[in-house]
Amino acid sequence: MRGVVLDDLRGPVGTGDAGFDQRVRGVLERGAAEELGALHEEAVARFGADHPDALVIRVHLALQQEAQDDPAGAAIALSGTAGQLSDSVGPLHPHMLALQAEIARLWGESDLTDLAADSYGRLAEMVEQARGADDPGALAAYERFAWWTGKTGRSAETVEAYTELLSRQRRALGPNHGDVLETRTELIRWHAEAGDPTGAARACADQVAARVRVHGPEHPDTLAARVQLVRWRAEAGDEAGAARACAALLEARELVQPPHHREVLNTRRLLAHHRTEAGDLLAAEHDYEALLPDLERYLSADHRLTLRARVGRAHLLFLLGETDTARVEMEGAIEDLERVLGADHETTVDARFLIAATRVTVGDLDGAVAEAEDLLPELRRRHGDDHHTTLFARAHVLEARGDSAAIAVYERLCELWTRVLGPTHPNVLLVRLRLATEGDLEGEEGRRHLTGLFEEFRWALGPTHGLTVMFRALLITLRSDEATALAELGELYRTCVSTLGTEALGTRAALEAYSEWRGFVLGDEERRSA
């Protein structure tokens, strides 16, 4: 910037008076502030206020004032000079442009960001009128305007300024110029600052294309641009687009990095993650099956990337409805996660949620509630009150406390989970059952609803699944008298033992139902006999 419009008022050009010119050079070299004032008065008197050397001396007076830690005072003084000069030479004279540039710079040195931005904006307009929109000085001034607008914290205005600068630079310099690439980097940043991830992703896509043209697909700057594209597409909610960008990033990395390179392995992990989030579950499952052995071979079983991939795969299993496998996986990993990543790391928190959510599906309500109670403050802080993980924890904590507000939370959770997991996911079925038991279980409509829901359990989970057996036990207790129910529950348990074995989840669910009902019946008989 300074080489374009600032230097013309930093060095004297000569007045034709050799003696005076020598004095000026000597005073400027010594930086003698007290002599500069007298020299300026003499220059104005002899050569006029608009003579280049009179202006040079005036600028150096301002620089001395800046050096004395008063850049704002220097800016004010030069603003007065500029006003006087404009009357004699016009607002677009080269000297006026140089003075305006010094004034804008001094406002910036004063940390008066609004004044700096406004001054550079005026300078850009002046240079454009004097030299044209594509002049290097106009582009440089507009770049400073955009930069200082950013310093004001006005994100939306900064996006507008960098968008305009990018358009000007592309027209004047071409799409592959280094300044164009740098401006697009700033534009991505300010889209993000303005809370516009979609705009950031769009600018990232343009940046990737430009980097490929300029540097080639394998250049570090191109790879870095691809990483940004993956990030901002995901932030914008375009997980399918993030997955495509991640696949392209992996392909580019594999051209220049060996399969065991950490960045290649991490990119494979991210690809599996984004495919999961995009709903491409079968592809993600294949990714994790191939990735996890490589992570353990090339890194270690307890490396942070390996652990994060294990949690990602457990999340995928949860989405697929394989809740018991997900629970076993996370219970086996949680100690390493807390040791390597820390208890508060987002991946560890995700694993703890999976443990709580999957414990519900094996009937471990006490364990699920204890985990949910510990997790709830962190989930609220990270996701807010309406995220499905927070709703799950809140519902179980409220119910454990006997708070009727749990039902409304379950209803909202059911709405979100049905959309994400589907109506026949084990956790969704449990929430639906919990809500169904709030209705009139004695009436015909309530019984019909329960029967229909039970058939969904049988179809989705199978007749021997622990949750299906638990539901069948519930129906037995609702539809039979105490003695008959006890006999049917006993028969249900014996059938499970003979067909499933004593350790199966369905058998344990039947035994728990039989034992609980037997205690209830015997206790009732004792009360009647008393």
Side-chain angles (χ1 to χ4, degrees):
M1 179 74 191
R2 195 170 274 180
V4 178
V5 291
L6 302 186
D7 285 349
D8 17 343
L9 293 184
R10 291 295 181 91
V13 296
T15 63
D17 183 328
F20 182 82
D21 292 344
Q22 185 175 1
R23 287 164 53 205
V24 169
R25 285 192 296 271
V27 170
L28 294 181
E29 288 172 4
R30 293 193 300 274
E34 64 282 357
E35 298 179 54
L36 280 172
L39 266 181
H40 181 253
E41 291 181 6
E42 183 178 348
V44 170
R46 292 180 58 185
F47 308 110
D50 56 355
H51 189 279
D53 280 11
L55 293 172
V56 166
I57 297 170
R58 185 66 192 88
V59 167
H60 278 271
L61 276 169
L63 294 177
Q64 288 290 333
Q65 195 170 356
E66 178 188 5
Q68 295 168 6
D69 202 24
D70 185 18
I76 293 170
L78 283 187
S79 296
T81 301
Q84 297 169 4
L85 182 63
S86 179
D87 293 338
S88 60
V89 300
L92 302 182
H93 191 278
H95 298 340
M96 282 296 300
L97 303 181
L99 277 177
Q100 183 63 35
E102 286 286 9
I103 293 166
R105 184 190 64 80
L106 287 166
W107 286 131
E109 292 295 328
S110 307
D111 288 328
L112 297 171
T113 55
D114 287 299
L115 288 174
D118 290 344
S119 293
Y120 276 115
R122 285 196 300 275
L123 174 63
E125 293 174 359
M126 292 165 65
V127 177
E128 181 177 349
Q129 292 178 45
R131 302 179 181 178
D134 296 343
D135 180 81
L139 295 176
Y142 211 94
E143 185 277 330
R144 290 288 80 193
F145 165 66
W147 192 88
W148 278 105
T149 302
K151 295 289 282 185
T152 68
R154 300 193 295 265
S155 301
E157 292 180 29
T158 307
V159 168
E160 292 179 7
Y162 273 111
T163 301
E164 175 63 23
L165 174 63
L166 182 63
S167 176
R168 290 167 178 253
Q169 288 177 330
R170 283 173 58 88
R171 183 180 62 245
L173 307 174
N176 300 332
H177 193 278
D179 287 353
V180 175
L181 299 178
E182 184 177 341
T183 295
R184 194 178 285 110
T185 298
E186 288 295 321
L187 183 58
I188 294 167
R189 172 194 169 199
W190 284 105
H191 271 300
E193 289 284 339
D196 179 18
T198 301
R202 189 167 52 247
C204 275
D206 292 341
Q207 185 77 316
V208 167
R211 292 288 185 191
V212 170
R213 287 195 307 270
V214 176
H215 302 302
E218 306 159 15
H219 192 277
D221 289 344
T222 307
L223 296 177
R226 289 192 185 279
V227 170
Q228 287 281 81
L229 178 58
V230 173
R231 174 191 175 186
W232 289 114
R233 278 185 173 169
E235 291 281 344
D238 180 12
E239 287 291 352
R244 290 192 300 273
C246 201
L249 172 62
L250 178 60
E251 183 179 348
R253 284 203 187 284
E254 289 176 334
L255 293 174
V256 293
Q257 295 167 330
H260 60 271
H261 193 283
R262 185 180 182 278
E263 290 298 339
V264 173
L265 294 170
N266 189 45
T267 303
R268 289 172 62 191
R269 180 187 70 82
L270 289 171
L271 178 57
H273 165 76
H274 289 299
R275 280 177 170 166
T276 299
E277 295 301 310
D280 191 359
L281 302 187
L282 294 180
E285 188 174 25
H286 173 76
D287 290 339
Y288 279 121
E289 286 177 357
L291 172 64
L292 282 165
D294 287 347
L295 285 171
E296 294 186 8
R297 179 166 61 251
Y298 294 130
L299 300 176
S300 67
D302 63 349
H303 190 278
R304 60 191 301 114
L305 288 185
T306 308
L307 292 171
R308 295 186 74 180
R310 288 178 66 186
V311 175
R313 179 173 179 271
H315 174 64
L316 171 64
L317 292 171
F318 177 75
L319 293 176
L320 290 170
E322 298 179 31
T323 53
D324 193 47
T325 308
R327 176 183 58 80
V328 172
E329 175 71 19
M330 288 300 89
E331 287 180 343
I334 193 65
E335 185 176 330
D336 285 341
L337 285 163
E338 291 178 342
R339 175 176 56 84
V340 175
L341 299 179
D344 295 332
H345 191 278
E346 61 178 350
T347 304
T348 308
V349 172
D350 289 344
R352 292 174 61 199
F353 163 75
L354 288 171
I355 290 172
T358 53
R359 279 179 176 170
V360 171
T361 64
V362 294
D364 183 9
L365 290 178
D366 290 340
V369 169
E371 191 71 60
E373 197 152 20
D374 287 342
L375 274 175
L376 185 55
E378 183 67 17
L379 293 174
R380 271 184 157 149
R381 185 181 70 81
R382 288 177 183 272
H383 304 303
D385 280 344
D386 200 46
H387 191 266
H388 72 92
T389 58
T390 312
L391 292 168
F392 169 86
R394 283 180 61 207
H396 284 82
V397 169
L398 288 171
E399 184 163 35
R401 295 172 181 171
D403 192 329
S404 60
I407 298 304
V409 181
Y410 274 125
E411 288 172 345
R412 177 59 177 155
L413 176 62
C414 187
E415 177 187 342
L416 292 181
W417 261 358
T418 300
R419 192 162 64 240
V420 175
L421 303 175
T424 57
H425 185 279
N427 283 83
V428 179
L429 288 171
L430 274 176
V431 175
R432 292 173 64 194
L433 176 58
R434 177 65 188 87
L435 293 173
T437 58
E438 283 298 301
D440 179 13
L441 301 182
E442 300 297 327
E444 185 63 28
E445 185 177 346
R447 288 173 181 267
R448 189 164 53 247
H449 178 59
L450 279 180
T451 300
L453 184 56
F454 176 70
E455 290 304 317
E456 289 192 60
F457 271 68
R458 282 172 53 89
W459 175 81
L461 307 179
T464 61
H465 191 283
L467 296 180
T468 308
V469 173
M470 177 201 70
F471 196 168
R472 184 178 173 190
L474 172 64
L475 292 177
I476 289 172
T477 61
L478 290 174
R479 295 174 180 176
S480 307
D481 58 57
E482 292 178 1
T484 304
L486 184 60
E488 290 184 9
L489 289 173
E491 181 60 29
L492 175 63
Y493 171 61
R494 287 188 291 274
T495 301
C496 287
V497 169
S498 64
T499 57
L500 305 177
T502 56
E503 297 302 317
L505 293 176
T507 305
R508 294 206 299 268
L511 176 60
E512 182 177 351
Y514 173 74
S515 300
E516 184 177 347
W517 194 254
R518 185 172 184 274
F520 170 75
V521 171
L522 292 178
D524 195 41
E525 288 179 352
E526 289 175 1
R527 284 191 296 274
R528 282 200 298 268
S529 63

